[in-house]
Amino acid sequence: MRLKTSLLKEPKHKELVSCVGWTTADELYSSGDDHQILKWNLLTNETIQVVRLAEEIYPIDLHWFPKTTGGKKQIQAEIFVLTSTDGKFHLISKTGRVEKSVEAHRGAVLAGRWNYEGTALVTGTPVYSVAWGPDSDKILYTLGKQLIIKPLQPNAKVLQWKAHDGVILKVDWNTVNDLILSGGEDCKYKVWDSYGRLLYCSQAHDYPITSVAWASDGQLFAVGSFNTLRLCDKTGWSYALEKPNTGSVFNIAWSVDGTQIAGACGNGHVIFAHIIEQHWEWKNFEITLTKRRSMQVRNVLNDALDVLEFRDRVIKASLSHEHLVVVTSLQCYVYSTKNWNTPLVFDLKEGTVSLVLQAERHFLLLDGAGIYLYSYEGRLISSPKFPGMRTDILSSQTISLSNDTIAVRDKTDDKVIYLIDAISGKPLGDGKPLVHKIEVMEVALDQFGSQNERKVAIIDKNRDLYIASVRRFGKEQKIIKIGTMVHSIAWNDKINILCGMQNTHFVVWYYPNTIYVDKELLSKTVFEKDASEFGKSPQIVNYVGNQVTVRRANGSLIYTSISPYPAILHEYVSASRWDDAVRLCRFVKTTTPDEEQAMWSCLAAMAIAHKDLMTAEVAYAAIGEIDKVQYINFIKDLPSKESRMAHLLLLTGNVQDAEGILIQAGLIYQAIQVNINLFNWDRALELAVKYKTHVDTVLAYRKKFLKDFQKEETSKRFLQYAEGVEVNWEKIQAKIEMEISKERERAATNTNLNSTGSRNTHVNR
């Protein structure tokens, strides 16, 4: 990726240019010490003077009124604020008419910025630069070498820290990634989080950093200095460095679509630069944006080259799941990797697409007005809506797509995740969102299986990794922790295997669903290796096939391979090829002991999840879990289907579900006995009293339990019922045997009914 810059032979401004601002992706306004406001049209290459300001007005900063508010178009006249050295700020229309001038400060007004809603304006002196927080509830400004974040709420704590060794000249705060940029006279630029923690510090440049600016989607930023223009990744490392003859670049503005930048130069020039040579990779295909309207496709297997031409400028692209989606300023092109000659093309409502996400069956486009889900045939499937939707602040970390589900983190409450049915665009289940206990930083949906099995992985503010089921079935959502200090995650594109950077290790969860089946097995289904080869703060780019792509802090890509055997195991299990799965695990015995144990552990959890007791018994035996082997044998010998199902749920830790199945089937004694075995004495007595059966059984087992531990009864309920109930072990034993006999008879009756071929007979007990 690099910048292609363009400068006119002669500057249009006669003096220093102090500020620039885009109205559209092809129209720019500039102003400088020559008192002119010029309009630049990039389509026609025309430059015209909009207005000549009064001689006493020397412009310093320019900012256009926001075009969108919460995804809704604004109807107000297009105006911009212009700050000047005379202590005033001026509201000027697009035609150049000065609508209003306000006496704001005694000295020069060095900065002026609208908030994102366009409901407030902030100016500053002797503040060199100012920026609004993402929610327009905080202001970031400079004060010498200090950066200050001031909340607008009264009595709220002000955050202040020394950020540079010289005076800070420019700051910017991005709405999407919530990161802060700063540049100063110490010749360095820095990236901070919103708590004032340093994330990146550049090497010292030759001259002071005079301008910094984020691209709207938060993926890139630009840095300006004397005869210097630099393009950087959000983590700080540099994509490209240009050395144009501009003098100091005092102000940088990104176009609305994030493909171009304009710079206000000290020698009277306005420099324009657009991004080219972006790269996309997927399996054996490499795609490069060679020009603004042209791409080159290379198949590395046979070195075949294809050139893709577009009518308009390319804004966004995504390559995955055997499709390339290219978004231009007016249209969307969908290519199949099997045929690069005939794309599917459809028109877009807006040309400001900020994000493209792909799943196997469809893809998602995000623009300032909404979320749109399209099929690869170009058909609009749905346009989801949810309360307080602000699409301008969503990123690939806060929205995720699978074949049947869209997960979106709420902006108004960072603890809330909306789960939306992809096809209908409506909330899943009862419509209630998933609510975490603290702020969510990243969401990611798995890509394989049905919606009933769909899982969402969550990284929260503490960098803990959680997993939750998308489907609730009327129950309280269970969000279970599976990792700590996790900084980056990615699901495999075909199989539900999750990888992540956990502290100083690279970790792969071969079967994350194990946490719902057998918590004790989870650690045995995880692969770990030292992550020192990836350097400091690596980010996972994607996980395709058996290969994970990781980006180091310096921007370089490194690839690491994952064992192919867990993916093959997933495929066998999804096809119910249990014998093949067992054979595969036995074959892996010839590799490493750790991998062998991980495979058998995964198979054990998968078998329990799919209720295949024979395979589960073999797998648990292979990893030495003898107690579970014995319990599985006990389950297999149970007379009724309901009892087997209930005890299988007990094995996975779902006590309430197990009890519910037994009660629904009329197996009250069995439900009571389950609670006795788990020492849930109060619940066992509650069931016995409610259904008026086996109260003496509960009291007898309770008495025996206390006697074994040489304890006295202290529970008032048990003392109350013990007074009127006689405990006779012979009678109790006879009742238990009768209950077991009845269960066997009913199971035999059900079996006989099924064998007669009465397909529509249901026995409800």
Side-chain angles (χ1 to χ4, degrees):
M1 190 184 298
R2 67 180 181 88
L3 290 171
K4 186 174 182 181
T5 60
S6 60
L7 278 171
L8 296 177
K9 289 182 179 179
E10 296 295 328
K12 293 290 184 179
H13 285 277
K14 297 179 176 60
E15 299 285 344
L16 170 153
V17 184
S18 57
C19 47
V20 290
W22 297 86
T23 57
T24 68
D26 298 300
E27 187 179 83
L28 180 97
Y29 278 54
S30 64
S31 187
D33 285 0
D34 59 356
H35 312 289
Q36 292 188 94
I37 295 178
L38 301 182
K39 180 169 74 173
W40 305 70
N41 189 314
L42 272 63
L43 295 176
T44 61
N45 292 322
E46 291 180 342
T47 307
I48 61 171
Q49 179 180 296
V50 177
V51 67
R52 184 173 181 86
L53 300 169
E55 291 296 320
E56 68 271 12
I57 298 177
Y58 287 86
I60 298 177
D61 198 10
L62 179 157
H63 195 214
W64 282 92
F65 186 87
K67 283 191 170 186
T68 58
T69 299
K72 294 181 180 178
K73 282 283 183 184
Q74 295 300 295
I75 304 171
Q76 291 101 322
E78 290 184 322
I79 59 170
F80 60 90
V81 62
L82 188 79
T83 68
S84 58
T85 57
D86 59 357
K88 297 178 181 177
F89 70 81
H90 312 273
L91 299 180
I92 303 175
S93 72
K94 195 175 180 179
T95 58
R97 179 183 171 186
V98 180
E99 302 287 346
K100 192 174 186 180
S101 294
V102 179
E103 294 267 2
H105 299 275
R106 291 185 178 177
V109 186
L110 301 177
R113 281 288 178 269
W114 296 102
N115 68 355
Y116 297 106
E117 288 77 25
T119 56
L121 175 71
V122 61
T123 61
T125 180
V127 173
Y128 277 104
S129 187
V130 67
W132 286 91
D135 294 323
S136 300
D137 59 351
K138 296 180 186 134
I139 295 170
L140 166 72
Y141 63 92
T142 68
L143 186 63
K145 302 175 184 180
Q146 308 277 321
L147 282 179
I148 300 171
I149 296 177
K150 180 177 175 58
L152 298 185
Q153 297 89 348
N155 304 320
K157 185 180 178 182
V158 174
L159 180 62
Q160 180 173 346
W161 72 96
K162 182 185 176 184
H164 288 260
D165 294 326
V167 173
I168 302 169
L169 301 177
K170 210 72 176 177
V171 294
D172 198 10
W173 196 345
N174 187 259
T175 55
V176 176
N177 60 32
D178 199 25
L179 298 180
I180 292 168
L181 274 177
S182 63
E185 290 187 348
D186 59 357
C187 306
K188 296 178 181 178
Y189 64 87
K190 299 183 180 183
V191 182
W192 312 84
D193 68 10
S194 56
Y195 301 98
R197 292 178 294 211
L198 181 65
L199 302 180
Y200 180 85
C201 176
S202 73
Q203 297 292 321
H205 289 58
D206 296 331
Y207 299 96
I209 303 298
T210 49
S211 54
V212 293
W214 282 108
S216 57
D217 64 2
Q219 296 300 309
L220 303 169
F221 65 86
V223 178
S225 183
F226 181 79
N227 286 353
T228 300
L229 193 62
R230 188 183 287 274
L231 179 68
C232 302
D233 182 78
K234 64 179 179 181
T235 53
W237 56 272
S238 179
Y239 274 111
L241 175 65
E242 300 293 329
K243 288 286 188 179
N245 183 24
T246 57
S248 291
V249 180
F250 288 110
N251 184 245
I252 291 175
W254 284 84
S255 62
V256 180
D257 58 19
T259 62
Q260 305 173 90
I261 57 175
C265 307
N267 61 1
H269 275 291
V270 173
I271 187 171
F272 292 94
H274 62 266
I275 299 168
I276 60 170
E277 294 185 10
Q278 284 177 276
H279 291 275
W280 295 268
E281 293 181 6
W282 184 76
K283 292 189 176 178
N284 53 301
F285 291 100
E286 288 181 350
I287 295 180
T288 305
L289 181 69
T290 52
K291 299 176 183 177
R292 283 192 278 187
R293 297 179 178 87
S294 178
M295 282 180 164
Q296 180 179 280
V297 181
R298 178 170 173 255
N299 187 333
V300 297
L301 294 181
N302 55 17
D303 253 0
L305 291 177
D306 289 278
V307 176
L308 312 179
E309 300 285 349
F310 305 97
R311 190 185 71 184
D312 306 298
R313 181 177 60 255
V314 174
I315 296 174
K316 291 286 178 185
S318 177
L319 176 63
S320 185
H321 297 287
E322 299 183 351
H323 288 87
L324 169 68
V325 180
V326 181
V327 177
T328 68
S329 53
L330 296 173
Q331 293 177 312
C332 180
Y333 295 73
V334 182
Y335 292 86
S336 168
T337 55
K338 298 171 184 176
N339 181 7
W340 298 106
N341 298 320
T342 53
L344 186 138
V345 186
F346 59 90
D347 294 333
L348 295 172
K349 294 179 181 177
E350 288 195 23
T352 56
V353 172
S354 58
L355 183 67
V356 181
L357 292 179
Q358 288 181 259
E360 184 182 13
R361 298 176 191 164
H362 39 237
F363 65 95
L364 180 148
L365 299 182
L366 197 70
D367 65 20
I371 301 170
Y372 306 97
L373 191 71
Y374 290 92
S375 70
Y376 287 112
E377 291 76 41
R379 180 174 57 87
L380 179 64
I381 298 171
S382 66
S383 180
K385 299 280 192 298
F386 54 89
M389 184 170 78
R390 269 190 63 186
T391 55
D392 58 318
I393 50 81
L394 292 175
S395 69
S396 56
Q397 278 74 47
T398 53
I399 181 169
S400 184
L401 175 69
S402 71
N403 282 336
D404 43 53
T405 309
I406 302 170
V408 189
R409 189 196 70 183
D410 185 20
K411 183 57 187 173
T412 54
D413 185 353
D414 291 346
K415 301 173 187 176
V416 173
I417 300 169
Y418 289 103
L419 300 170
I420 301 164
D421 183 87
I423 307 304
S424 67
K426 296 178 180 178
L428 281 177
D430 56 8
K432 292 180 181 177
L434 179 64
V435 182
H436 191 42
K437 55 187 176 183
I438 62 172
E439 292 92 334
V440 172
M441 305 301 290
E442 187 171 347
V443 296
L445 288 163
D446 64 14
Q447 298 297 306
F448 182 74
S450 67
Q451 194 175 65
N452 290 341
E453 300 167 339
R454 184 73 58 229
K455 301 291 186 295
V456 58
I458 300 165
I459 298 179
D460 66 18
K461 188 178 175 182
N462 293 337
R463 291 291 160 190
D464 291 331
L465 175 63
Y466 290 79
I467 193 167
S469 178
V470 165
R471 283 287 189 181
R472 269 200 300 262
F473 300 109
K475 298 181 295 185
E476 190 65 31
Q477 190 73 291
K478 287 175 72 175
I479 306 176
I480 305 176
K481 185 174 176 180
I482 63 170
T484 58
M485 294 305 294
V486 178
H487 298 278
S488 180
I489 57 171
W491 288 98
N492 185 273
D493 66 330
K494 291 289 185 184
I495 299 295
N496 292 340
I497 301 177
L498 179 68
C499 70
M501 291 293 174
Q502 185 173 13
N503 206 356
T504 58
H505 287 83
F506 173 70
V507 182
V508 182
W509 289 267
Y510 287 142
Y511 186 52
N513 198 47
T514 304
I515 197 71
Y516 289 96
V517 178
D518 188 343
K519 292 180 183 180
E520 296 172 5
L521 273 187
L522 182 66
S523 60
K524 296 179 181 179
T525 63
V526 174
F527 166 76
E528 282 190 33
K529 77 170 184 176
D530 183 57
S532 56
E533 64 176 299
F534 304 123
K536 185 182 177 183
S537 303
Q539 294 291 313
I540 297 173
V541 178
N542 58 38
Y543 180 8
V544 178
N546 299 319
Q547 183 175 274
V548 178
T549 306
V550 180
R551 193 178 290 281
R552 288 172 165 168
N554 63 3
S556 61
L557 292 175
I558 190 169
Y559 303 91
T560 186
S561 293
I562 306 298
S563 168
Y565 299 125
I568 297 170
L569 183 65
H570 274 270
E571 290 173 6
Y572 283 159
V573 170
S574 64
S576 299
R577 294 168 60 183
W578 296 104
D579 291 340
D580 289 337
V582 171
R583 274 195 290 273
L584 176 66
C585 292
R586 285 176 177 152
F587 168 76
V588 174
K589 190 174 183 179
T590 61
T591 55
T592 63
D594 287 345
E595 189 168 20
E596 180 195 358
Q597 177 175 269
M599 290 288 287
W600 282 116
S601 300
C602 287
L603 182 57
M606 291 172 178
I608 292 295
H610 289 79
K611 303 176 181 61
D612 191 297
L613 296 180
M614 295 291 290
T615 307
E617 183 182 354
V618 173
Y620 275 120
I623 55 176
E625 298 275 356
I626 306 304
D627 55 334
K628 287 171 185 170
V629 172
Q630 291 176 337
Y631 192 66
I632 289 170
N633 281 322
F634 162 73
I635 294 173
K636 284 158 66 177
D637 291 337
L638 290 170
S640 69
K641 178 184 174 183
E642 292 84 2
S643 280
R644 289 193 292 274
M645 182 71 73
H647 282 274
L648 202 56
L649 286 168
L650 285 175
L651 181 61
T652 65
N654 293 316
V655 179
Q656 285 186 338
D657 291 348
E659 182 190 286
I661 284 175
L662 292 171
I663 292 173
Q664 191 174 2
L667 302 172
I668 307 302
Y669 160 70
Q670 286 79 352
I672 293 169
Q673 191 63 51
V674 161
N675 283 287
I676 291 172
N677 294 341
L678 294 171
F679 307 115
N680 293 337
W681 298 109
D682 289 335
R683 180 58 179 165
L685 184 59
E686 183 184 335
L687 288 174
V689 172
K690 181 179 178 180
Y691 292 99
K692 299 177 182 177
T693 182
H694 287 281
V695 175
D696 56 342
T697 305
V698 178
L699 294 173
Y701 276 103
R702 170 77 169 182
K703 189 175 180 181
K704 183 177 182 299
F705 169 77
L706 293 172
K707 184 179 179 182
D708 289 343
F709 288 92
Q710 298 178 355
K711 298 282 186 181
E712 293 293 327
E713 183 61 79
T714 56
S715 170
K716 290 182 180 179
R717 287 197 71 196
F718 276 92
L719 288 170
Q720 175 190 343
Y721 283 102
E723 289 178 3
V725 177
E726 179 188 355
V727 173
N728 186 321
W729 272 107
E730 288 184 5
K731 289 183 179 179
I732 290 169
Q733 206 64 44
K735 283 169 67 178
I736 292 172
E737 288 175 5
M738 188 182 296
E739 293 282 2
I740 295 170
S741 177
K742 282 165 62 178
E743 184 183 1
R744 282 184 181 140
E745 286 175 10
R746 185 167 59 176
T749 303
N750 289 343
T751 303
N752 291 334
L753 284 171
N754 290 335
S755 64
T756 60
S758 301
R759 297 178 184 177
N760 299 320
T761 302
H762 296 275
V763 180
N764 297 317
R765 299 264 181 183

